Amino acid sequence: MIKITLPDGSVKEFEKNSTPMDVAKSISEGLARNVISASFNGETVETATPLTTDGNLVLYTWNNDEGKKAFWHSSAHVLAQALEELYPGVKLTIGPAIDNGFYYDVDFGDQAVSEKDFPAIENKMLEIARGKHEFNMRSVSKADALSYYKDQGNEFKVELIENLEDGTITFCDHATFTDLCRGGHIPNTGYIKAVKLLSAAGAYWRGDEKNKQLTRVYGISFPKQKELKEYLALLEEAKKRDHRKLGKELELFTFSAKVGQGLPLWLPKGAALRERLEQFLKKAQQKAGYEQVVSPHIGQKELYVTSGHYAKYGEDSFQPIHTPKEDEEFLLKPMNCPHHCEIYNAKPWSYKDLPKRYAEFGTVYRYEQSGELHGLTRVRGFTQDDAHIFCTPEQLDEEFKNVIDLVLYVFGSLGFENFTAQVSLRDPENPDKYIGSTENWEKAENAIINAANEKGLNYVIETGEAAFYGPKLDFMVKDALGRKWQLGTIQVDYNLPERFDLSYKGSDDKLHRPVMIHRAPFGSMERFVAILLEHTGGNFPLWLMPEQAIILSLSEKYEKYAEKVLNLLENDEIRALVDNRNETIGKKIREAEMNKIPFMLIVGENEEKEATVSVRKHGEGDLGSMSVKSFADLVNNEISSNLKPFK
């Protein structure tokens, strides 16, 4: 007999070689019908995997992220089988699950696949799925695995296998199909009831532009047709909210091939939006005791070698800038923190001076692959709302909690109410990925977990997701469409103070190392604006809108009164403009609605006579007639209810 511990702490005994599905059946038939994946002692297993030792078992359904991952990974296998049957001679490479669905990278040779072929591929996938073929894992020797794919002429799989160790290689079989695979599948293909292929795009083998370009086919699948319909409706809404589309329509930003890929140009309205976001955070930071600093866009290569960023980002950075002086090299800065370390190092400090909190909206540069660039969410030049706190170990807990308060204030002011926190720790199995001592890592990780507990955050722990220099607390925000975004990060760092030889004089008159906290509530201005655009659909909080009101005159006779209303609103610091065009009032209203201007003020004979405005609210309609002062109070009250001062 073996003892199986379940997530609720209960322990049950089963015969050796019982499977996760046997355990599910012992709990309830309903659970057994819904279980699609499992993990045993932290390792992903099949529902049919024999369990031979005592251990901890977690059963996953479609409602768990891990369950969806197994479902979509299994669907990628079905896609691969369908492509092999429909396009003989194709070479399969990799097919993972992703956040929403799956993809498979394929070398189609002389053949081609486009969206017009998707219905036939989907039908073939569903035909395979209806066969209810079981997914069976088996171990294969390295020699046999290499022989199998060499016989197929698949150099991609051969390359993957050559990098694996003998004894760790497994194949997955279902129906007549075999694939190199680590595991994690649903019980059989019959669980897949609905499939949709979403797009086909070019993708370089292993993400390297020097390698062959493959075709990446994206898809998604569901256990019910109804869920697919709901997802496709969500996709349509997401298209309407695409920040690239809205950014163009609202005249916020643009890109230029002459300027370069991944380098956004902010138009006047977008620049004003950014400025308001900056001033909003600067005001809160000032109350929280931050000091503003400015650092250059470049630094000597040695600066980033010292910090470790050159080893981490060197290949992904722009090439070094060579000066007329021999052997002198500069880099476009990939991060602001090395510069801030040197600002701290500009003078000696006492424990009485700490903490020092340096903040900067600093622009950094990384050479992202062209295929990975995407609007404002993935760019080559971006501005971080960066700050670095240098404190004593005794101050760390309080400082970290204060940063959490600031991040939560930012989220609340901008309408991000639905979020979870993620504590990202190092991977103890891969110490070479990180810099610094194990002792310092343990202190830093414990500090983050303690602060998250004291603040009552709803958090999960993710091992292996830490930055190379320290653990971090990331905030995962759900937007209006239910999508998850990583927004806001706080990191504890014992390593950069060591590498830059930072110090302060303690009460014992000896020199000590400060602890460093990295934080960026927005993350980057570019990505934050993109997410905010898609979350709000361009209907920003009123305090942030480029124009809060537009005055629509019924005819040129009322232009002077419209200008008078504008002046009164400007006195109340309300951003407004006048539309005096010779167009119908209906057209003016429609265009103001399309431009998402929150309020439309219509002025004509009655309004001029009574010194009022007729007010319409975007998306709601008429609010009636009121004085200009009453309207200004309405706007300012709405702003003050959403934008509380930081305390």
Side-chain angles (χ1 to χ4, degrees):
M1 302 295 286
I2 56 173
K3 292 181 179 178
I4 301 299
T5 303
L6 298 171
D8 64 0
S10 62
V11 179
K12 292 192 172 190
E13 287 196 348
F14 293 88
E15 289 186 11
K16 192 176 180 180
N17 292 320
S18 294
T19 66
M21 186 59 77
D22 292 330
V23 177
K25 286 177 180 175
S26 77
I27 297 171
S28 77
E29 285 297 326
L31 177 61
R33 282 194 299 273
N34 289 302
V35 164
I36 56 178
S37 182
S39 70
F40 188 64
N41 290 335
E43 295 289 327
T44 299
V45 295
E46 312 294 299
T47 57
T49 299
L51 306 177
T52 59
T53 64
D54 295 348
N56 297 296
L57 179 70
V58 183
L59 300 169
Y60 301 125
T61 70
W62 170 254
N63 295 323
N64 306 116
D65 288 343
E66 294 86 350
K68 287 184 174 70
K69 183 178 178 182
F71 194 96
W72 287 330
H73 173 60
S74 305
S75 300
H77 280 301
V78 175
L79 168 61
Q81 182 183 353
L83 292 175
E84 274 198 339
E85 292 184 14
L86 293 171
Y87 301 89
V90 298
K91 296 176 183 178
L92 303 173
T93 66
I94 57 170
I98 53 178
D99 286 345
N100 281 297
F102 54 89
Y103 70 77
Y104 216 109
D105 284 349
V106 184
D107 179 2
F108 281 92
D110 295 332
Q111 305 175 83
V113 165
S114 66
E115 292 192 10
K116 67 180 174 56
D117 303 306
F118 286 179
I121 300 170
E122 291 163 2
N123 287 336
K124 175 59 72 173
M125 289 179 70
L126 290 172
E127 179 188 316
I128 294 167
R130 284 192 290 271
K132 297 184 179 179
H133 307 290
E134 292 182 356
F135 291 91
N136 297 306
M137 297 292 295
R138 59 186 168 95
S139 295
V140 184
S141 71
K142 188 168 185 174
D144 287 347
L146 286 170
S147 175
Y148 180 82
Y149 281 111
K150 282 178 180 176
D151 288 347
Q152 286 191 2
N154 189 329
E155 66 273 23
F156 306 103
K157 296 285 191 184
V158 168
E159 183 181 328
L160 291 173
I161 294 165
E162 283 174 342
N163 292 319
L164 299 175
E165 291 185 17
D166 209 347
T168 66
I169 300 167
T170 49
F171 279 3
C172 177
D173 303 317
H174 73 269
T176 59
F177 180 75
T178 295
D179 204 356
L180 174 69
C181 181
R182 283 198 298 258
H185 303 95
I186 57 181
N188 65 66
T189 60
Y191 284 62
I192 302 167
K193 295 291 198 299
V195 170
K196 182 70 177 174
L197 298 186
L198 301 171
S199 64
Y204 292 104
W205 169 236
R206 296 196 138 180
D208 189 337
E209 290 178 336
K210 296 173 187 172
N211 290 336
K212 184 167 186 177
Q213 190 172 56
L214 309 170
T215 300
R216 177 170 293 178
V217 181
Y218 287 96
I220 197 162
S221 56
F222 293 90
K224 294 179 182 175
Q225 185 68 31
K226 176 189 171 196
E227 289 171 320
L228 173 59
K229 287 181 180 178
E230 290 171 351
Y231 179 77
L232 293 177
L234 201 65
L235 272 189
E236 285 304 309
E237 181 61 26
K239 285 179 186 175
K240 296 177 192 172
R241 291 170 177 253
D242 189 313
H243 75 276
R244 295 167 298 178
K245 173 178 175 287
L246 289 174
K248 184 176 182 180
E249 291 172 357
L250 300 177
E251 299 179 0
L252 299 178
F253 59 88
T254 189
F255 288 89
S256 161
K258 288 183 179 178
V259 173
Q261 283 187 299
L263 300 171
L265 299 168
W266 291 88
L267 304 176
K269 288 181 182 179
L273 179 81
R274 275 182 58 138
E275 179 65 18
R276 278 189 288 280
L277 283 169
E278 283 192 22
Q279 291 306 319
F280 155 73
L281 188 55
K282 282 179 179 177
K283 191 174 179 182
Q285 285 177 166
Q286 188 175 16
K287 284 190 175 181
Y290 288 82
E291 298 172 280
Q292 207 68 28
V293 296
V294 178
S295 63
H297 291 245
I298 64 173
Q300 287 200 94
K301 178 182 172 182
E302 188 57 37
L303 176 72
Y304 309 113
V305 171
T306 300
S307 69
H309 288 97
Y310 185 75
K312 177 71 176 176
Y313 295 115
E315 291 183 5
D316 297 325
S317 295
F318 289 88
Q319 289 299 300
I321 302 164
H322 295 275
T323 72
K325 184 179 177 182
E326 190 176 352
D327 296 329
E328 187 175 54
E329 288 184 329
F330 287 80
L331 293 178
L332 289 169
K333 67 175 173 182
M335 293 291 264
N336 298 299
C337 34
H339 297 253
H340 290 191
C341 286
E342 287 301 289
I343 290 174
Y344 178 89
N345 247 349
K347 61 176 283 190
W349 300 102
S350 157
Y351 72 98
K352 294 178 182 177
D353 301 315
L354 302 186
K356 297 302 295 180
R357 308 180 187 96
Y358 294 139
E360 175 182 14
F361 282 85
T363 303
V364 298
Y365 303 89
R366 297 185 201 155
Y367 190 78
E368 303 285 358
Q369 299 291 336
S370 59
E372 294 177 342
L373 298 174
H374 181 81
L376 292 181
T377 59
R378 199 72 180 266
V379 290
R380 288 174 171 167
F382 52 95
T383 303
Q384 294 179 308
D385 58 319
D386 236 341
H388 298 94
I389 301 168
F390 302 89
C391 64
T392 69
E394 295 76 24
Q395 294 167 333
L396 175 60
D397 182 64
E398 190 65 26
E399 288 299 311
F400 199 93
K401 287 187 288 190
N402 288 343
V403 176
I404 291 176
D405 289 338
L406 182 62
V407 171
L408 298 184
Y409 168 71
V410 169
F411 288 177
S413 300
L414 289 157
F416 291 108
E417 305 293 348
N418 191 354
F419 63 87
T420 56
Q422 175 179 302
V423 178
S424 300
L425 308 179
R426 72 197 184 290
D427 180 359
E429 302 296 319
N430 291 292
D432 293 343
K433 287 171 58 178
Y434 311 98
I435 59 175
S437 69
T438 300
E439 180 189 2
N440 282 344
W441 271 91
E442 287 175 353
K443 285 194 286 188
E445 289 175 343
N446 288 334
I448 291 179
I449 292 170
N450 290 339
N453 284 329
E454 285 189 43
K455 283 294 174 185
L457 294 180
N458 175 24
Y459 71 89
V460 295
I461 291 178
E462 292 290 346
T463 301
E465 294 296 315
F468 74 98
Y469 51 79
K472 55 182 181 170
L473 180 68
D474 292 324
F475 291 85
M476 315 304 289
V477 173
K478 266 194 179 181
D479 69 10
L481 298 181
R483 300 170 301 183
K484 281 185 183 176
W485 301 90
Q486 190 263 310
L487 271 185
T489 185
I490 318 171
Q491 301 164 5
V492 176
D493 186 358
Y494 282 84
N495 295 310
L496 284 188
E498 190 80 34
R499 294 173 81 99
F500 280 93
D501 195 24
L502 307 185
S503 64
Y504 66 90
K505 187 173 282 189
S507 57
D508 56 1
D509 272 347
K510 294 179 181 178
L511 292 179
H512 300 268
R513 289 266 182 257
V515 185
M516 192 173 174
I517 299 175
H518 307 242
R519 52 110 284 209
F522 291 148
S524 82
M525 297 299 291
E526 286 71 15
R527 189 167 175 276
F528 190 83
V529 168
I531 294 167
L532 188 61
L533 258 174
E534 298 197 3
H535 176 58
T536 62
N539 297 305
F540 298 118
L542 186 56
W543 65 269
L544 192 57
M545 288 297 292
E547 288 104 13
Q548 295 164 324
I550 185 167
I551 304 157
L552 311 176
S553 59
L554 287 172
S555 76
E556 61 182 18
K557 290 193 292 183
Y558 311 109
E559 285 181 13
K560 283 188 178 179
Y561 180 61
E563 291 294 336
K564 181 181 177 182
V565 171
L566 177 65
N567 291 334
L568 291 171
L569 294 178
E570 287 175 344
N571 289 340
D572 268 302
E573 298 186 351
I574 293 171
R575 294 183 294 279
L577 69 160
V578 174
D579 185 352
N580 277 331
R581 293 175 303 152
N582 185 24
E583 298 286 358
T584 65
I585 195 66
K587 183 174 182 180
K588 290 180 180 181
I589 289 171
R590 283 194 301 276
E591 290 183 2
E593 287 279 357
M594 286 175 61
N595 290 326
K596 304 183 187 298
I597 298 175
F599 292 99
M600 289 143 269
L601 311 182
I602 300 163
V603 295
E605 183 179 357
N606 288 340
E607 288 77 20
E608 183 178 34
K609 189 184 299 181
E610 297 172 11
T612 60
V613 288
S614 290
V615 182
R616 285 181 62 91
K617 191 169 185 180
H618 171 66
E620 293 184 19
D622 288 331
L623 297 186
S625 181
M626 62 186 76
S627 69
V628 178
K629 181 69 174 105
S630 296
F631 172 71
D633 290 343
L634 183 153
V635 170
N636 288 322
N637 287 339
E638 184 171 329
I639 290 172
S640 60
S641 68
N642 291 328
L643 188 60
K644 309 286 186 189
F646 180 68
K647 296 178 181 177

